Amino acid sequence: MSLIALFFFAFFFSFIGSIPPGSINITTLQYALEGRRNAGLSFALASALTEYLYAGIAVRFQIYLTSNESISQYFSIITGTVLLILGIYNLLKKPTQNLTTTIGERRHAFKKGVLISLANPLAIPFWLMVTIYLQSMGWVELTDQNFWIYVAGVSTGTFVLLAAVIQLGSKFAAIQGNTFIIYKLPGLIFIAMGLWSFIQ
């Protein structure tokens, strides 16, 4: 597989996975709405670099699991089940009513980005699941040498999404209020991926 394709798959799933409301993109949105673009970009960069760390941990663990045949033979069942659960969860999830968060003026935006991102360890199981799925579908092939390209795609996808939040500002806030785009569509995608995993 080409390194470009490897990078693209990581970028795409990172970009899509960063859309639903969370502490990171909501904080970035508030920076944008306050007109603090430079601080928002610093925050986005810190978040993307932390995502690089978490994705790296997840992918290394996934490579280890892949080398264990007694575990890897159940990957399709495990990922299919998890994806179906995530899809149903998204379909049933109620939209959040509070899309604002307090920004501590005394903290540097980059430091704040690192702290908030480190407080989001769910990125590790998320990337473990996504990577296992992509591998089981044969869409990516990770080795000890090329997995850094994949992780770079993850980090870049996160940063580009957050930069888009800063650029769009109030327009992105309107998108955040669209229940179908934020919850239903990702839920349907996860369910389709889970079913396809079982079919395969």
Side-chain angles (χ1 to χ4, degrees):
M1 135 169 283
S2 72
L3 296 181
I4 294 177
L6 186 66
F7 182 91
F8 171 78
F9 274 112
F11 176 92
F12 175 78
F13 279 92
S14 179
F15 188 92
I16 297 299
S18 299
I19 291 177
S23 57
I24 295 174
N25 56 13
I26 290 177
T27 303
T28 305
L29 176 60
Q30 188 154 355
Y31 275 122
L33 295 178
E34 292 177 351
R36 304 170 62 200
R37 293 172 56 87
N38 290 337
L41 288 173
S42 294
F43 180 88
L45 178 61
S47 300
L49 291 176
T50 307
E51 188 86 354
Y52 186 88
L53 171 65
Y54 275 158
I57 294 172
V59 174
R60 289 298 301 179
F61 185 56
Q62 190 274 337
I63 292 175
Y64 167 75
L65 291 177
T66 302
S67 64
N68 189 328
E69 294 185 3
S70 62
I71 299 177
S72 62
Q73 61 180 323
Y74 299 106
F75 277 173
S76 293
I77 297 175
I78 295 172
T79 55
T81 302
V82 172
L83 286 166
L84 285 175
I85 291 173
L86 280 175
I88 295 171
Y89 171 77
N90 272 276
L91 290 179
L92 299 178
K93 188 175 181 181
K94 301 296 183 182
T96 180
Q97 297 299 317
N98 182 18
L99 293 181
T100 61
T101 186
T102 302
I103 299 175
E105 292 294 333
R106 292 174 295 180
R107 291 186 179 181
H108 187 274
F110 187 90
K111 180 179 179 181
K112 186 177 182 69
V114 171
L115 293 175
I116 292 181
S117 298
L118 286 176
N120 182 35
L122 290 178
I124 294 178
F126 173 81
W127 281 112
L128 180 62
M129 176 204 67
V130 169
T131 304
I132 290 175
Y133 178 82
L134 294 177
Q135 288 254 84
S136 66
M137 293 295 103
W139 294 346
V140 300
E141 183 177 345
L142 297 174
T143 66
D144 290 330
Q145 290 72 38
N146 72 4
F147 92 97
W148 291 112
I149 301 296
Y150 179 83
V151 176
V154 169
S155 183
T156 304
T158 298
F159 180 78
V160 170
L161 185 278
L162 296 179
V165 170
I166 295 171
Q167 183 66 30
L168 293 174
S170 59
K171 293 181 180 179
F172 189 81
I175 294 174
Q176 291 277 358
N178 189 315
T179 304
F180 178 78
I181 294 177
I182 300 302
Y183 297 109
K184 306 302 182 185
L185 183 58
L188 293 173
I189 292 174
F190 281 136
I191 289 175
M193 291 169 63
L195 292 175
W196 182 251
S197 181
F198 283 119
I199 292 172
Q200 289 295 96

